[in-house]
Amino acid sequence: MSARKKIKVVTPLVDMDGDEMTRIIWSMVKEKLLFPYLDMGIDYYDLHLKRRDETDDQITIDAAEAIKKYGVGVKCATITPNQDRVREYGLKKAWKSPNATIRAILDGTVFRTPILLKNVHPSVSPWKRPITVGRHAYGDVYAAAEIRIPDTGLVELVYTPADGGEPVRRTIHDFTGGGIVQGIHNTDDSITSFAKACFTLAFDRKIDLWFSTKDTISKIYDAHFRAVFESEFEKNWKEKFAAAGLTFFFTLIDDAVARIMKSEGGFLWALKNYDGDVMSDMIAAACGSLAMMTSVLVSPHGWFEYEAAHGTVQQHYYRHLKGEETSTNPMALIFAWTGALRTRGELDGTPDVPAFADRLERAAIETVEAGIMTGDLLPFAEKNPANRKVNTEAFIDTIAVNLDRKMV
Ligand code: NAP
Ligand code: MG
């Protein structure tokens, strides 16, 4: 790259480094695609598993606090340790998922949007525009109390009012043998901020909002989610949506799944925590690869955390450690940075920063559309003699060449 003036990013971005293959790609992206073009301060938190272990996971909490301070963070994928990882890394214990820790501190909704390409067609043929999944990131089965019931006995739900009122009881099941039970919860505050985040994002991106639950079966729990969305719509969005030609549409989750398979896409699909977890992976896979799914946590307090939806790509990392060449796709990691930079620039009122993010995204998309791609995409790409599989570094280098051209 020829010497030129770098674009100034006024406020530091909170940079959370991660593990395994994505850690290697993370530093390549910064070194080859960001630092040559940007005069950018970063507030760096190393969330490498060893570092979390050394700090008793304080580093993860510090990173979340830094996002609260600066407003925008960008996170590499991290290992959520299980017992295998405790042995592999010699850990003090199986620390909690960093994503769960950060979400619990920031609150909010995770929005996942696939990156669509001209030459990689979704396997669901009617899909023309991206479907964004808005996943509620609080409560339900992710914060459940569970009991393995060994044998005969009564299980009840009991609510004890703090003001000393009469307890409310419901029988869950009168067991005549062994079994299992689970208690889940959510709060009015969290559901309301979930609804607000979804309406806000749909309105900002000028896309329709769909919301679906199973309220015919869950007449209190799921029905309450529906009621909160409908009341938020009536109160704050009905006129704005009508003026912008946008629709809010509630339907049963089974009906939504069936309709989505026949739709052209181009809307936000709001889903409860578990539904969103599962459906976003289905949409990512149908759009070509897990590596083509972007993800952002939008907190009701105005904080943003961008990341890739995929994990640390462990198997590729082990191959890399053995000295084998890997063709790991960096697209979602690059888009985590461009998403963060775009929001940072909008908050700072520095339009050349979002303009840089647009150029980098175009450079990355055009690289794949010109046939240069990683191994995960090749089998799904339109047949073309120009197509070739490259390794991660060569792919990033080609993006850098394309980006350079756009910066003149
Ligand atoms: P993963 O890292 O997403 O990888 C699953 C498989 O998807 C890979 O083996 C690979 O398939 C494919 N893949 C994912 N990302 C890819 C990319 N960028 N380029 C090419 N192929 C890609 O999920 P995992 O193996 O279940 O989890 C590995 C570690 O990541 C775990 O320790 C888990 O805790 C962590 N994790 C972290 C996050 C996060 O921080 N947000 C999310 C999920 C998982 P092939 O092997 O077929 O090539
Ligand atoms: Mg999932």
Side-chain angles (χ1 to χ4, degrees):
M1 199 193 77
S2 56
R4 68 167 69 89
K5 204 160 167 280
K6 291 184 181 183
I7 297 164
K8 175 88 187 148
V9 183
V10 175
T11 309
L13 272 172
V14 180
D15 168 5
M16 290 159 280
D17 211 337
D19 291 301
E20 299 192 312
M21 208 58 217
T22 45
R23 183 181 180 91
I24 292 166
I25 299 173
W26 199 246
S27 66
M28 271 188 215
V29 167
K30 288 194 280 185
E31 183 202 321
K32 292 171 186 273
L33 301 177
L34 302 174
F35 290 142
Y37 306 94
L38 300 173
D39 172 10
M40 166 173 68
I42 55 171
D43 193 18
Y44 180 80
Y45 294 84
D46 188 358
L47 303 191
H48 185 280
L49 184 51
K50 283 297 265 184
R51 187 78 191 116
R52 281 180 272 148
D53 195 54
E54 282 160 23
T55 63
D56 291 340
D57 214 18
Q58 184 60 37
I59 187 90
T60 310
I61 295 163
D62 293 347
E65 291 299 330
I67 298 176
K68 284 165 98 172
K69 177 173 166 197
Y70 290 114
V72 185
V74 55
K75 181 178 167 293
C76 183
T78 46
I79 294 169
T80 298
N82 54 19
Q83 286 313 316
D84 290 341
R85 300 298 204 160
V86 170
R87 277 189 297 275
E88 181 181 355
Y89 286 84
L91 305 178
K92 295 174 197 159
K93 66 175 213 184
W95 301 100
K96 252 176 71 176
S97 148
N99 287 3
T101 302
I102 295 168
R103 272 176 214 155
I105 294 172
L106 302 182
D107 192 5
T109 304
V110 175
F111 294 100
R112 295 199 159 162
T113 311
I115 305 162
L116 296 191
L117 300 160
K118 281 203 197 104
N119 57 339
V120 181
H121 303 290
S123 38
V124 180
S125 53
W127 291 359
K128 302 278 179 285
R129 284 168 289 144
I131 296 168
T132 298
V133 169
R135 171 188 170 188
H136 187 209
Y138 177 84
D140 297 357
V141 69
Y142 302 85
E146 301 187 321
I147 309 175
R148 164 81 175 103
I149 305 297
D151 208 339
T152 312
L154 178 68
V155 180
E156 288 181 297
L157 271 180
V158 184
Y159 163 60
T160 315
D163 66 5
E166 254 324 278
V168 180
R169 322 181 85 89
R170 294 276 177 281
T171 296
I172 296 177
H173 193 65
D174 202 353
F175 284 89
T176 54
I180 40 180
V181 285
Q182 179 181 70
I184 62 170
H185 82 281
N186 228 293
T187 67
D188 288 353
D189 279 353
S190 183
I191 302 168
T192 304
S193 61
F194 168 44
K196 281 185 191 298
C198 292
F199 282 107
T200 305
L201 186 111
F203 187 72
D204 283 353
R205 295 198 188 167
K206 298 289 170 274
I207 51 179
D208 290 342
L209 172 61
W210 293 25
F211 179 52
S212 50
T213 64
K214 191 77 178 176
D215 66 319
T216 47
I217 299 299
S218 169
K219 292 187 190 319
I220 292 181
Y221 201 102
D222 279 23
H224 189 63
F225 273 83
R226 177 181 180 174
V228 170
F229 266 75
E230 287 178 342
S231 126
E232 176 65 20
F233 178 63
E234 290 294 327
K235 247 194 302 190
N236 298 320
W237 300 95
K238 201 172 180 173
E239 277 92 50
K240 281 192 200 165
F241 264 49
L246 300 175
T247 312
F248 166 59
F249 173 58
F250 175 86
T251 187
L252 262 187
I253 187 155
D254 347 24
D255 181 50
V257 167
R259 283 172 188 259
I260 273 165
M261 289 302 170
K262 295 180 177 166
S263 82
E264 289 198 353
F267 49 84
L268 167 61
W269 188 15
L271 289 161
K272 288 170 54 202
N273 210 345
Y274 177 82
D275 300 339
D277 182 354
V278 175
M279 289 299 162
S280 58
D281 284 357
M282 182 197 70
I283 288 172
C287 290
S289 163
L290 212 53
M292 298 297 285
M293 191 63 134
T294 67
S295 184
V296 56
L297 175 74
V298 179
S299 124
H301 314 290
W303 307 313
F304 299 84
E305 186 213 20
Y306 288 84
E307 60 165 357
H310 61 77
T312 59
V313 214
Q314 183 180 6
Q315 295 314 321
H316 292 211
Y317 180 62
Y318 292 154
R319 271 181 258 148
H320 167 83
L321 288 181
K322 279 194 252 160
E324 291 170 30
E325 192 174 84
T326 60
S327 182
T328 314
N329 187 340
M331 287 291 268
L333 295 169
I334 294 170
F335 275 63
W337 277 99
T338 52
L341 284 165
R342 187 176 291 109
T343 299
R344 188 67 275 166
E346 283 165 4
L347 293 174
D348 289 342
T350 50
D352 40 344
V353 175
F356 171 79
D358 291 346
R359 279 193 211 114
L360 175 49
E361 289 182 0
R362 287 309 316 158
I365 287 174
E366 283 165 16
T367 300
V368 185
E369 290 181 345
I372 312 295
M373 60 189 86
T374 46
D376 55 322
L377 293 177
L378 196 65
F380 304 101
E382 242 170 47
K383 297 293 161 257
N384 190 315
N387 286 359
R388 86 194 149 82
K389 172 182 159 179
V390 293
N391 67 38
T392 310
E393 188 155 21
F395 181 66
I396 292 177
D397 286 340
T398 313
I399 296 174
V401 170
N402 286 340
L403 178 59
D404 242 19
R405 243 181 252 138
K406 291 182 189 300
M407 297 300 288
V408 180

